[in-house]
Amino acid sequence: MSLAAKPASRLFHRLVCLLMIFSAITGAALAQQAVSIRFDQAARIFHIDAADTSYVFGINEHADLQALYWGKRLASGDTFPAAKASPEAASFDLSFTVTPHEFAGWGSGLYVEPDLKITFPDGNRDLELKYVSHAIDGDKLSIVMKDISREVYVTLYYQPDAETGILRRWAVIENRTSEPFTIEQVSAATWNLPRGTDYRLRYLSGRWAAEDTVNEQMVEPGKTTLESRRGTTGHQNNPWFAIDKLSTAGAETGGVWFGALGWSGSWQITIERDQLQQVRISGGPNSFDFGYRLQKGEKFETPIFYGGYSSEGIGGASRLLHRLEMDTLVPNAPHEKLRPVLYNSWEATGFNVDEPGQVALAEKAASIGVERFVMDDGWFGQRKDDHAGLGDWYVNPQKFPHGLKPLIDKVHSLHMDFGLWVEPEMVNPDSDLYRKHPDWVLNFTGRPRTEGRNQLVLNLARPDVRAYVLGFLDKLLTENDIAFLKWDYNRNWSEPGWPAVAPEDQKNVYVDFTNNYYSILADLRAKHPGVEIESCSGGGGRVDLGVIRYVDEFWTSDNTDAFDRLTIQNGFTYAYAPGVMMAWVTDSPTWVNNRTLSLEYRFLSSMQGSLGIGANLNKWTPEDFATATKMVAQYKSIRELVQRGSLYRLITPEHDSEQSVTESVSRDKSQAVVFAFLHSSGELYPYPRLYLRGLDANASYTLTALDGKVAETTPAAASGAYWMEHGVDVLLRGDFQAAALKLDRAP
Ligand code: DGJ
């Protein structure tokens, strides 16, 4: 098993890293070497320095890999004494379990989460991994470990990102024994924090239509598990964490250790504080119901666990992740196109799509400056509602008698590109595909097949299903001029059986399904390089750093209420960049809460991410069209800084705050935009003064109110220092009010 081939852009990034390293060595461009990996032979210690972060670990006297330091960058001459295993704390807490390991096999009395647990065919389950050798290859360190007696090899990889200091860690397990064995638990990496008692964990939780709530809790003795057992990433938790120290933490100050797991299958991240107050975080595929059978001679590659450190608070941590995503991870990084303003038909027409109806919407969308027209669900098979049709990917002849071409041509003539909704991994029992291949779904023989939204999950791990899905998508893209796919996924797994393979191989489905999903995306992108893809799973159910390597954006939530969205988008941006966060303007009152919001408010809420329109344009008044045209034009003038810039959360909507304010600053600090929202004013209190961030203190900036008003005393131009230290008063009063300000550096 291995992950799909890496896109060329990542190879390009590596070349750039190497060039940077070379230029640093020659002393030409950089004062501080961007990436440095060195091995202190005498003390047997590895030093990894990148951007503003250092990561240090050593080989201890038992040949275990022991964590020593993770935090702000140290001086290049700093040395560490040789790693020494922690002493036995008590006869109940042996040395091995209290030593902070980089990657520990389950054996020797280990009571914390193991990084690798294997059952061998003879029933033996003991595993002791010891250092064997290492290699430093440019910006990548690899370390080989081996069990003390069995031919089980584990190669650990460490690859820092030059720009952000974020470290990629993953492992490859190799079976060089003469028989298959079963991996029962495996992590990509374990991260160890300095000993401490005032750690605060932030993580994201949610559900359908309520994704990405930011939760905070102290890291107490015991274990917190963030996870999905659902087959895919899921809405319930997102594979991201951030930990700071309560005593030193501010939104933009203090140290933050953070990480995100790049895996779109069932996953887990465990945060443990042990009996000696040591904190460690490990992450990988979910160990519940896990059992990957690795044949002799085969290798198993874990997902990547990304980990970083920011000394600029949680805001800095988010910005480092955003930078990594936009500059390195998205498919065309670092030259990913800016997200076009799109229109999506779902909330307007639901399943009732046909050629005249879509043409009418397309004409209206084009008139306000939309650049991409996306037809959502309902265009294929016998799809009238969610009871039938999934799996039958032919164009419905009643709705589109002449195929998709006339609609696509019309969209092109309106100067938009065309996008289409698909849900490739699903099938309705009422479909030709299911009638022909009932064995293609996840199932346990003779057991009920539990439906969700009247659909079943195709077993993408099967080679024939993989071929079918890739085949129909390839045909669709070859026969039609399609620029964009919205790839949806609308239920989680039940009965995850794979009866076609031997019982002992069936649990491989958790990994093979996900890897086939990635490899289909990779194959499609290779064959159709111009096509962009959105990852959607009933909103934000498949948002993670695994799939981001193959998709250009995420559908954030089916909840398009612009006020609710402030909270959902706030949580989303803790881990993911606004440049991949799709946000539609929809109708008011919203179907979600029956809440009435002005069109301006709805636009400003969506303009904090990648703007889309999902309203029923047939119901809009001429005034609505005029407002929308103005707002779309405004968005185009600031989208680069929103999508690529540095995000500052000036006031979060968390803890029932009445206000929510974000600021995006362009990378060269020449422009900034502020979005300010008020839930409800009370008792004559004015809106709090806003203190901007991230500007050049010595430069002069003009301030323009794009929407709303600022206090009369506000200067037309002032220094960055003035806007950051004196601040600006926005005049917002009433319920559900919003404003936007733009700052431009004077030439
Ligand atoms: C769920 C998605 O999140 C919606 O935007 C829409 O595409 C529907 N599926 C269509 O069935």
Side-chain angles (χ1 to χ4, degrees):
M1 194 286 297
S2 69
L3 292 176
K6 291 170 179 155
S9 61
R10 295 166 67 215
L11 291 175
F12 175 79
H13 173 76
R14 277 211 200 119
L15 272 175
V16 172
C17 284
L18 290 176
L19 278 174
M20 287 173 78
I21 294 164
F22 178 73
S23 76
I25 290 167
T26 57
L30 302 171
Q32 178 173 255
Q33 196 171 312
V35 170
S36 153
I37 302 177
R38 65 192 162 91
F39 182 60
D40 174 348
Q41 188 74 46
R44 309 229 299 167
I45 286 179
F46 297 96
H47 295 257
I48 302 175
D49 299 308
D52 201 26
T53 302
S54 291
Y55 191 89
V56 184
F57 61 100
I59 307 164
N60 71 17
E61 71 275 30
H62 305 305
D64 299 325
L65 293 178
Q66 188 172 332
L68 294 173
Y69 178 79
W70 181 26
K72 195 166 170 61
R73 188 166 180 148
L74 304 172
S76 56
D78 282 335
T79 55
F80 283 67
K84 202 164 176 323
S86 306
E88 180 177 308
S91 58
F92 302 96
D93 290 315
L94 305 181
S95 167
F96 194 71
T97 201
V98 293
T99 297
H101 294 279
E102 288 288 295
F103 195 96
W106 186 67
S108 318
L110 183 80
Y111 305 119
V112 294
E113 288 291 330
D115 292 297
L116 185 60
K117 180 174 185 300
I118 290 177
T119 293
F120 295 97
D122 59 1
N124 198 316
R125 306 190 307 282
D126 189 51
L127 188 69
E128 287 191 47
L129 298 170
K130 301 292 177 189
Y131 167 86
V132 174
S133 64
H134 73 269
I136 298 172
D137 177 12
D139 66 345
K140 188 161 77 182
L141 165 66
S142 56
I143 300 177
V144 178
M145 301 178 85
K146 182 189 170 299
D147 177 60
I148 50 173
S149 69
R150 297 190 182 236
E151 292 295 295
V152 178
Y153 286 81
V154 176
T155 307
L156 306 183
Y157 291 93
Y158 296 78
Q159 188 176 31
D161 178 61
E163 209 184 346
T164 61
I166 292 174
L167 190 57
R168 295 173 175 82
R169 290 183 58 191
W170 72 100
V172 173
I173 291 84
E174 191 178 349
N175 180 359
R176 289 196 212 159
T177 72
S178 55
E179 292 175 292
F181 58 67
T182 301
I183 299 172
E184 293 180 339
Q185 179 163 353
V186 61
S187 68
T190 287
W191 306 92
N192 293 273
L193 298 188
R195 186 171 297 176
T197 53
D198 69 335
Y199 283 119
R200 171 179 55 177
L201 168 69
R202 281 191 179 89
Y203 66 96
L204 300 171
S205 68
R207 59 180 161 81
W208 175 74
E211 294 86 342
D212 298 323
T213 300
V214 181
N215 302 277
E216 295 174 4
Q217 67 185 43
M218 296 307 291
V219 179
E220 301 288 1
K223 183 161 61 182
T224 296
T225 300
L226 313 176
E227 66 168 355
S228 162
R229 297 181 174 197
R230 296 161 178 272
T232 51
T233 325
H235 300 74
Q236 195 171 355
N237 285 150
N238 189 273
W240 167 88
F241 73 90
I243 295 177
D244 58 10
K245 285 174 85 67
L246 209 53
S247 52
T248 55
E252 297 293 338
T253 53
V256 178
W257 295 262
F258 60 93
L261 188 67
W263 189 236
S264 312
S266 289
W267 59 272
Q268 69 183 33
I269 295 177
T270 57
I271 299 97
E272 275 180 279
R273 177 171 150 190
D274 72 11
Q275 63 284 17
L276 301 184
Q277 299 175 345
Q278 302 178 118
V279 175
R280 68 190 86 201
I281 304 107
S282 56
N286 200 311
S287 56
F288 174 78
D289 199 37
F290 193 78
Y292 195 89
R293 193 152 159 91
L294 197 65
Q295 301 296 329
K296 66 173 183 174
E298 278 189 353
K299 292 180 181 175
F300 178 98
E301 183 173 330
T302 72
I304 297 173
F305 202 174
Y306 299 84
Y309 174 81
S310 163
S311 56
E312 294 178 7
I314 189 69
S318 299
R319 288 189 291 277
L320 290 177
L321 273 171
H322 298 173
R323 195 56 62 99
L324 178 81
E325 289 154 11
M326 300 311 293
D327 287 4
T328 308
L329 297 186
V330 290
N332 297 311
H335 302 297
E336 184 78 18
K337 280 192 274 178
L338 290 175
R339 298 294 80 222
V341 178
L342 69 71
Y343 179 82
N344 179 289
S345 66
W346 175 244
E347 291 203 20
T349 46
F351 299 97
N352 299 324
V353 295
D354 60 16
E355 195 181 307
Q358 295 300 296
V359 166
L361 287 171
E363 283 168 341
K364 295 184 173 81
S367 77
I368 57 173
V370 166
E371 298 158 311
R372 170 170 290 165
F373 182 83
V374 184
M375 178 162 65
D376 209 280
D377 202 344
W379 58 269
F380 55 91
Q382 294 306 308
R383 187 79 164 162
K384 297 185 186 67
D385 52 32
D386 60 17
H387 286 82
L390 279 178
D392 299 340
W393 297 103
Y394 60 88
V395 180
N396 181 291
Q398 281 79 42
K399 297 178 181 184
F400 297 92
H402 310 290
L404 295 178
K405 191 167 185 321
L407 173 62
I408 295 176
D409 286 349
K410 178 71 187 175
V411 166
H412 288 164
S413 76
L414 293 164
H415 309 293
M416 300 184 290
D417 65 28
F418 181 77
L420 195 63
W421 179 95
V422 287
E423 192 174 0
E425 300 139 284
M426 297 288 168
V427 65
N428 287 120
D430 185 1
S431 67
D432 295 342
L433 185 73
Y434 188 72
R435 283 182 279 274
K436 198 166 164 202
H437 296 292
D439 52 330
W440 275 14
V441 298
L442 294 173
N443 75 94
F444 288 121
T445 305
R447 305 294 301 173
R449 300 176 177 196
T450 306
E451 293 178 21
R453 206 195 192 201
N454 312 302
Q455 62 197 54
L456 297 167
V457 184
L458 289 172
N459 182 354
L460 209 56
R462 289 176 60 118
D464 46 7
V465 173
R466 182 195 183 281
Y468 172 76
V469 168
L470 178 60
F472 92 73
L473 288 169
D474 180 32
K475 186 163 179 283
L476 195 63
L477 296 178
T478 304
E479 292 177 355
N480 300 284
D481 194 350
I482 293 171
F484 172 82
L485 286 179
K486 175 178 175 180
W487 182 310
D488 206 346
Y489 181 95
N490 278 302
R491 60 160 296 182
N492 294 131
W493 292 12
S494 55
E495 301 94 24
W498 184 359
V501 299
E504 58 273 22
D505 292 333
Q506 290 199 10
K507 290 181 178 176
N508 286 23
V509 71
Y510 285 104
V511 169
D512 292 355
F513 183 110
T514 309
N515 280 324
N516 278 353
Y517 167 59
Y518 290 151
S519 71
I520 291 171
L521 286 164
D523 286 356
L524 275 183
R525 295 201 77 109
K527 194 139 185 235
H528 305 277
V531 173
E532 297 192 333
I533 303 175
E534 178 179 85
S535 169
C536 168
S537 173
R542 193 141 73 175
V543 180
D544 59 74
L545 292 193
V547 71
I548 201 173
R549 297 168 302 169
Y550 308 101
V551 299
D552 307 270
E553 62 188 52
F554 296 107
W555 178 225
T556 313
S557 178
D558 276 353
N559 184 339
T560 55
D561 177 299
F563 173 70
D564 282 4
R565 266 303 183 97
L566 297 178
T567 301
I568 295 169
Q569 293 176 177
N570 173 68
F572 183 100
T573 61
Y574 271 75
Y576 305 101
V580 295
M581 181 178 77
M582 184 47 65
W584 303 344
V585 174
T586 56
D587 289 316
S588 174
T590 57
W591 66 268
V592 189
N593 300 308
N594 204 26
R595 179 182 283 129
T596 300
L597 297 167
S598 72
L599 190 53
E600 286 85 349
Y601 185 104
R602 283 175 273 151
F603 261 99
L604 293 179
S605 172
S606 296
M607 283 162 66
Q608 294 173 100
S610 299
L611 178 66
I613 321 282
N616 187 347
L617 302 180
N618 297 321
K619 294 187 182 159
W620 275 17
T621 63
E623 292 73 40
D624 290 337
F625 279 103
T627 303
T629 306
K630 182 189 86 179
M631 305 294 280
V632 168
Q634 272 179 8
Y635 179 69
K636 288 178 182 170
S637 76
I638 48 130
R639 74 171 139 189
E640 178 153 6
L641 48 151
V642 170
Q643 295 182 17
R644 293 272 193 287
S646 303
L647 176 72
Y648 295 84
R649 298 180 198 95
L650 301 188
I651 303 178
T652 77
E654 294 160 43
H655 311 295
D656 293 326
S657 165
E658 290 292 344
Q659 306 90 20
S660 172
V661 186
T662 64
E663 179 195 2
S664 299
V665 183
S666 63
R667 290 194 180 190
D668 65 358
K669 300 186 181 210
S670 66
Q671 287 187 310
V673 62
V674 177
F675 296 98
F677 300 86
L678 172 64
H679 173 253
S680 165
S681 47
E683 299 173 337
L684 292 173
Y685 284 116
Y687 201 75
R689 180 167 291 182
L690 302 181
Y691 299 92
L692 307 196
R693 291 281 167 268
L695 303 175
D696 177 350
N698 298 317
S700 171
Y701 293 85
T702 58
L703 182 140
T704 319
L706 294 179
D707 279 276
K709 289 198 177 80
V710 292
E712 270 177 22
T713 49
T714 308
S719 68
Y722 180 95
W723 300 121
M724 293 192 288
E725 305 307 328
H726 173 276
V728 55
D729 286 319
V730 182
L731 302 181
L732 284 177
R733 276 186 72 211
D735 297 339
F736 300 115
Q737 300 296 310
L741 314 177
K742 183 157 180 260
L743 288 101
D744 290 280
R745 189 168 61 195

